[in-house]
Amino acid sequence: LVEEDYELARGLTELHLGFFMHRQEITSQKAENFPHGYQELAAAHNAAAEELARIIPTRDMKEILPKFNSMLKACVACHLEFKITEPS
């Protein structure tokens, strides 16, 4: 977005943010192995990323930045709830 490459930003948002990464994890493992709360947070993150990807082509940063902020909040909410810990 900073470089004003809106097509790249939209593509990266669609392919690497939101539920895409979570879907890869869930499909490679059994969905029931994931906590219900995780699935809800992942769905919220997906919705925020989809909304961001939808608005990016407008090139209107006054519209894009609030959607970007919402997506980041969804990321942080999940990371706060589900922390990855290294095995000892």
Side-chain angles (χ1 to χ4, degrees):
L1 291 173
V2 171
E3 295 173 1
E4 298 182 355
D5 189 340
Y6 296 98
E7 275 302 305
L8 177 61
R10 184 190 54 77
L12 291 173
T13 300
E14 289 175 340
L15 294 176
H16 297 288
L17 299 175
F19 200 61
F20 174 82
M21 295 176 73
H22 304 285
R23 184 174 43 228
Q24 295 295 91
E25 285 296 316
I26 290 171
T27 56
S28 68
Q29 302 176 30
K30 294 186 180 202
E32 61 268 11
N33 292 340
F34 290 87
H36 181 68
Y38 175 85
Q39 294 176 23
E40 287 180 355
L41 289 168
H45 186 246
N46 179 55
E50 285 179 352
E51 183 63 19
L52 175 60
R54 185 189 67 73
I55 204 77
I56 285 174
T58 68
R59 300 175 177 231
D60 182 351
M61 293 304 281
K62 288 183 179 182
E63 294 289 325
I64 292 170
L65 290 178
K67 302 298 181 194
F68 185 74
N69 188 45
S70 294
M71 192 219 31
L72 289 177
K73 285 180 180 179
C75 293
V76 170
C78 190
H79 284 275
L80 287 174
E81 185 68 28
F82 298 98
K83 295 179 174 68
I84 297 174
T85 56
E86 295 292 324
S88 358

